[in-house]
Amino acid sequence: MGLFGFGKKKKEQAAQARTEVKAAQNEPAAQDAQAAPAAQAAPAAQPAAEAQPAAEAQSEQNEKKGLFSRLWQGLSKTRTNVSGRVEELIEATEEIDEDFYENLVDILIMSDMGVRTSDRVIEELKTRVEAQKITDARKAREILKQILKEMMNKPRKPLKWPMVMLVVGVNGVGKTTTIGKLALRFKDARHSVVLAAADTFRAAAADQLAIWADRAQVPLVRHAEGADPAAVVYDGIKKAKATEADLLIVDTAGRLHNKKNLMEELRKISRIITREYEEAEVRTLLVIDATTGQNGLAQAREFSEVADVSGIVLTKLDGTAKGGIAVAIMEELKLPVLYIGVGEGIEDLQAFDADAFVEAIF
């Protein structure tokens, strides 16, 4: 109804006008009052809808920070050995000359990067520094970091299921512990796992693996000590198939001192897998103790001669100041480091990230 009623007395018109003006003034308040519950509900519903992705993103970010923190802490000895010395060199450098490069290559060699790999790194650094006309030693360090990241970013195959992981390595490198941590890692990622104790020659090897199987709550296939490793693998395959497991992880003997026997054993295991589990993807992981330095590189070379190694697991990096061995292995053997161990905890076995690794040692 309008503000003015034609055909009415002025008094009535005025009264009517006052009434309608009042109503008009009150109407927005009434509408606001009615809309308020909806308006309040909408913001509540909106954050509720957005809260889960935001919480997941925050959780993922926190997890990444936690992993890098463990990596940073685990590589503290290497960082002191490399980054500390490089910083001292930069402070003492007035110009980038041959002395600078010679001192830098010495630092890399002392980190167990090896002579050949260190020389390659420095030659590439020289080329880029000259091409970019760099005169600041700090900028040269950034170029050095980029070179190392590029060298360590090796392509790796995507995971395919079902899969058999053959884990090889000499005794004492942390092979059984690595298998246990891998089992837990994949179990946490909602993959079904079976373990096979095919290292039947080392006393108590199966008992140690049984402890990890119990922790991860995954089935373990084992035979008596001294049994045929290939027979254990055969039964492991049967178990994996029967349970429709995603992953069968096989512990193997580490008798590198007798390469002929080891080669025959691995070949026999491979024949069993090919015959009985042809649909499975097969990966061979070589476990190396980082504290052994250049001896670890020698082990990697020898194992590569007797096994089709897919990638490296580098353990005990927290116990050495010579983490440069990771660069040497990847550059010399052209093999990717897939996992690194930077502590005793389950979460301290991490998927290798070249960028994070280089940042943690510099």
Side-chain angles (χ1 to χ4, degrees):
M1 193 172 181
L3 289 176
F4 300 100
F6 291 105
K8 292 184 179 180
K9 293 179 182 179
K10 291 182 180 179
K11 192 172 183 179
E12 291 175 338
Q13 289 174 342
Q16 181 69 21
R18 285 195 298 270
T19 301
E20 292 191 277
V21 168
K22 189 174 181 180
Q25 289 173 339
N26 290 335
E27 186 177 359
Q31 289 175 345
D32 288 347
Q34 290 175 353
Q40 289 170 357
Q46 186 74 7
E50 295 176 356
Q52 188 172 356
E56 289 175 358
Q58 184 62 43
S59 176
E60 184 178 350
Q61 189 176 8
N62 289 341
E63 184 180 357
K64 286 181 179 178
K65 285 181 180 177
L67 288 173
F68 185 76
S69 176
R70 292 189 190 101
L71 180 64
W72 178 271
Q73 185 176 358
L75 293 175
S76 60
K77 292 182 180 178
T78 297
R79 185 168 56 257
T80 300
N81 189 33
V82 177
S83 181
R85 293 175 185 273
V86 170
E87 183 61 31
E88 289 175 6
L89 175 59
I90 288 172
E91 290 292 335
T93 299
E94 294 180 1
E95 62 176 333
I96 299 176
D97 54 15
E98 282 304 313
D99 286 341
F100 172 79
Y101 289 122
E102 285 180 13
N103 286 320
L104 192 54
V105 78
D106 287 344
I107 292 170
L108 298 184
I109 291 171
M110 288 177 68
S111 76
D112 245 346
M113 206 172 288
V115 175
R116 281 190 295 183
T117 300
S118 299
D119 283 343
R120 286 174 196 158
V121 170
I122 297 304
E123 285 305 313
E124 179 62 22
L125 179 62
K126 282 183 181 180
T127 300
R128 297 191 190 188
V129 165
E130 289 173 7
Q132 297 177 38
K133 296 180 170 54
I134 301 295
T135 57
D136 185 348
R138 293 192 182 280
K139 289 183 179 179
R141 177 175 58 184
E142 294 307 308
I143 295 174
L144 171 63
K145 287 166 61 177
Q146 187 58 39
I147 291 169
L148 293 175
K149 289 176 183 179
E150 290 169 10
M151 290 177 71
M152 301 182 84
N153 265 313
K154 301 292 182 190
R156 58 189 73 186
K157 293 181 181 178
L159 298 174
K160 290 175 63 178
W161 315 107
M163 179 185 291
V164 178
M165 276 187 183
L166 294 176
V167 183
V168 301
V170 300
N171 295 333
V173 295
K175 191 154 48 79
T176 305
T177 300
T178 296
I179 291 170
K181 290 180 178 181
L182 285 171
L184 279 163
R185 183 184 183 89
F186 283 103
K187 181 79 181 294
D188 287 345
R190 299 175 184 260
H191 290 291
S192 48
V193 182
V194 173
L195 302 184
D199 183 358
T200 58
F201 298 97
R202 184 168 64 88
D207 291 338
Q208 291 174 6
L209 199 58
I211 294 170
W212 281 104
D214 186 56
R215 286 184 190 174
Q217 295 186 322
V218 300
L220 170 69
V221 175
R222 60 182 296 181
H223 287 187
E225 190 175 318
D228 182 4
V232 179
V233 174
Y234 176 82
D235 285 347
I237 291 170
K238 286 176 61 179
K239 183 69 174 179
K241 284 179 146 184
T243 58
E244 297 184 341
D246 295 321
L247 177 62
L248 171 63
I249 308 180
V250 180
D251 188 12
T252 64
R255 303 187 314 276
L256 189 57
H257 61 277
N258 193 333
K259 285 200 292 183
K260 185 177 179 181
N261 285 353
L262 178 61
M263 187 184 298
E264 287 304 316
E265 183 180 303
L266 292 174
R267 282 176 179 167
K268 191 175 179 181
I269 288 173
S270 295
R271 286 196 298 269
I272 293 290
I273 296 170
T274 301
R275 188 183 72 208
E276 302 295 332
Y277 209 11
E278 60 181 357
E279 67 270 31
E281 179 83 3
V282 181
R283 305 281 172 88
T284 302
L285 272 59
L286 172 60
V287 181
I288 295 175
D289 180 346
T291 63
T292 62
Q294 290 297 306
N295 285 336
L297 179 58
Q299 289 172 22
R301 284 199 188 98
E302 293 193 57
F303 266 104
S304 295
E305 291 173 6
V306 300
D308 184 17
V309 177
S310 309
I312 305 294
V313 180
L314 199 55
T315 63
K316 307 179 187 179
L317 272 166
D318 57 311
T320 180
K322 299 186 176 183
I325 187 62
V327 186
I329 288 171
M330 297 177 84
E331 178 63 17
E332 295 287 331
L333 302 179
K334 307 302 179 187
L335 288 171
V337 172
L338 301 177
Y339 300 96
I340 56 174
V342 290
E344 295 297 324
I346 300 299
E347 67 282 356
D348 292 322
L349 180 69
Q350 299 186 11
F352 180 76
D353 181 321
D355 290 358
F357 183 87
V358 173
E359 290 298 332
I361 64 175
F362 278 92

